[in-house]
Amino acid sequence: MNAPSSLQELIEALRCLPGVGPKSAQRMAYHLLQRDQSGAARLGRALTNALALIRHCDRCTNFTEQPVCELCSSPRRDNAMLCVVETPGDLLMMEQAQCYRGQYFVLMGRLSPLDGIGPRELHMDRLVRRAADGEIKEVLLATNFTVEGEATAHYISEMLRAKGLKVSRIARGLPVGGELEHVDSGTLAQAVIERREI
Ligand SMILES: [Zn+2]
């Protein structure tokens, strides 16, 4: 026997979430309908609202409800530095670390040719325009140290250097409080390669 069509549609819709297969989608749908109808209604409202209100910031492309987000319009930020990150979550991590007071550009992804994500999908043209606005003195690349994150950083650095911009990359290193014997050999090797004079 097939599930009623609205239930079937709910299960199908839940499968748009990353990592959710048919079984978990079914479990979620049953949970929402049987155990948490008010939670389900709230989820529905929140989704509709977010879809209607959330847009990309004109300057950094992060999610915002304004044309220009709060961070980009803050007078307390250093307008000479631009930090490039992959996701809004990475931006939050940078902010929580409280080590950076400049501006951001959020790629909303990373170069991944196999998934069809190229320079155009990441709005690299906007990044170039933003970095070459005359105020930015240095672009700090804070993409991840994955194969794709490294390739993305390399691509951006070539592109921006060709425009005469100063480009830097966050350093890899040992975790704070970390002991050498507990660190993977790749991280340790990189820490030696990127050593600095003291
Ligand atoms: Zn912004």
Side-chain angles (χ1 to χ4, degrees), residues 57-62 68-72:
C57 170
D58 288 344
R59 282 167 73 79
C60 69
T61 76
N62 200 1
V68 174
C69 77
E70 212 174 298
L71 198 152
C72 283

Side-chain angles (χ1 to χ4, degrees), residues 62 71 77 81-106 139-145 168-171:
N62 200 1
L71 198 152
R77 307 295 301 199
M81 283 281 285
L82 184 69
C83 176
V84 180
V85 292
E86 290 182 17
T87 66
D90 295 340
L91 185 155
L92 278 182
M93 286 302 292
M94 285 288 294
E95 285 299 287
Q96 278 166 15
Q98 297 190 332
C99 57
Y100 176 79
R101 298 298 300 159
Q103 299 283 342
Y104 288 96
F105 189 90
V106 188
V139 179
L140 170 62
L141 301 179
T143 55
N144 289 316
F145 289 106
S168 55
R169 178 88 168 107
I170 52 167

Side-chain angles (χ1 to χ4, degrees), residues 1-185:
M1 194 194 85
N2 289 330
S5 62
S6 56
L7 175 55
Q8 200 56 50
E9 168 57 20
L10 174 59
I11 294 170
E12 282 301 317
L14 285 164
R15 289 191 61 191
C16 76
L17 292 165
V20 173
K23 276 270 180 284
S24 359
Q26 203 175 53
R27 231 174 3 247
M28 286 179 191
Y30 293 163
H31 173 85
L32 289 170
L33 295 172
Q34 180 64 35
R35 308 252 170 253
D36 197 0
Q37 290 211 352
S38 68
R42 189 179 165 196
L43 177 63
R45 282 194 304 273
L47 266 177
T48 308
N49 271 341
L51 282 171
L53 297 175
I54 298 291
R55 47 168 290 163
H56 291 289
C57 170
D58 288 344
R59 282 167 73 79
C60 69
T61 76
N62 200 1
F63 292 125
T64 176
E65 290 184 5
Q66 314 299 329
V68 174
C69 77
E70 212 174 298
L71 198 152
C72 283
S73 41
S74 165
R76 287 187 296 279
R77 307 295 301 199
D78 176 2
N79 290 328
M81 283 281 285
L82 184 69
C83 176
V84 180
V85 292
E86 290 182 17
T87 66
D90 295 340
L91 185 155
L92 278 182
M93 286 302 292
M94 285 288 294
E95 285 299 287
Q96 278 166 15
Q98 297 190 332
C99 57
Y100 176 79
R101 298 298 300 159
Q103 299 283 342
Y104 288 96
F105 189 90
V106 188
L107 294 168
M108 294 286 174
R110 73 216 73 169
L111 290 178
S112 181
L114 292 179
D115 301 313
I117 299 175
R120 197 165 18 156
E121 283 67 32
L122 297 182
H123 304 291
M124 292 285 187
D125 50 334
R126 286 177 64 180
L127 169 58
V128 173
R129 277 202 302 279
R130 178 75 181 89
D133 71 348
E135 269 193 290
I136 303 291
K137 299 280 176 278
E138 180 179 348
V139 179
L140 170 62
L141 301 179
T143 55
N144 289 316
F145 289 106
T146 57
V147 174
E148 289 166 341
E150 292 277 36
T152 306
H154 180 74
Y155 182 92
I156 295 173
S157 70
E158 296 285 301
M159 194 174 64
L160 296 183
R161 277 202 196 105
K163 298 260 171 204
L165 286 153
K166 181 180 170 189
V167 185
S168 55
R169 178 88 168 107
I170 52 167
R172 276 171 279 212
L174 301 170
V176 174
E179 294 172 9
L180 292 198
E181 65 171 325
H182 297 128
V183 169
D184 69 278
S185 53

